[in-house]
Amino acid sequence: MIPTYKSDFRPTMKRWSIILKTILLITVILFFIRALVAPSFIDQIVSLLLGVGVLAIYVYTLSIIPSSIQLGEKEIIIQRTFGKKCIPYSIIKEAFIYNEVQGDIRYCGSNGFLGYMGIMGSTLYGKYYSYVKNPQQQVFILTKNKNYLISCENRETFIKELHTRMVTER
């Protein structure tokens, strides 16, 4: 059986994420309606492009947002809405609790919009890829080539189980 650790928002953020998703979908619908009823061709095109742009950002964010983290036989599996991201145990150097995000730099991504996703930078560990929904449950994973910041419920248990699997893999 593959241990699965749920990746979820903090309770207050969960409520805001539902409100934000609803507002975004209503906005996209309004842009498309405006594109149909706008008096000039230019207004129609602008409204259509804005609607498509907002929809693209929304779909992209949903595609990378994690739903759960699994410890497979040979790798960590970050389950996302569309697809998954795998990190083999053989390339992991260390995994530890990380609470220092406030001082980190965001190169590209979301700093709170449906989570903390994207490419970030730390003065200590360099560039890393963030898949965080709950900043109070963060786990930093150092690998040989890329670094990752993830979040999951019961991060202490997750880290212990991960270290056990890393030892058996080597």
Side-chain angles (χ1 to χ4, degrees), residues 33-47:
I33 290 172
R34 175 149 167 60
L36 293 173
V37 298
S40 73
F41 182 70
I42 299 286
D43 288 343
Q44 290 175 343
I45 295 298
V46 168
S47 293

Side-chain angles (χ1 to χ4, degrees), residues 28-73:
V28 168
I29 291 168
L30 290 175
F31 276 128
F32 288 140
I33 290 172
R34 175 149 167 60
L36 293 173
V37 298
S40 73
F41 182 70
I42 299 286
D43 288 343
Q44 290 175 343
I45 295 298
V46 168
S47 293
L48 188 61
L49 289 175
L50 286 171
V52 168
V54 171
L55 185 62
I57 291 168
Y58 180 68
V59 169
Y60 173 73
T61 303
L62 286 179
S63 72
I64 62 171
I65 198 166
S67 57
S68 67
I69 312 294
Q70 297 178 330
L71 295 174
E73 285 186 37

Side-chain angles (χ1 to χ4, degrees), residues 123-167:
T123 53
L124 244 117
Y125 304 109
K127 184 172 81 171
Y128 64 86
Y129 297 85
S130 180
Y131 298 98
V132 174
K133 286 171 79 174
N134 184 348
Q136 296 171 335
Q137 292 291 324
Q138 297 176 138
V139 176
F140 203 96
I141 300 172
L142 291 172
T143 70
K144 293 177 182 173
N145 47 11
K146 293 181 182 178
N147 299 321
Y148 301 91
L149 184 65
I150 61 173
S151 68
C152 62
E153 293 181 2
N154 304 317
R155 70 178 171 183
E156 290 82 10
T157 308
F158 172 82
I159 291 171
K160 286 179 188 173
E161 180 68 25
L162 175 59
H163 283 148
T164 302
R165 289 175 182 260
M166 287 168 49
V167 168

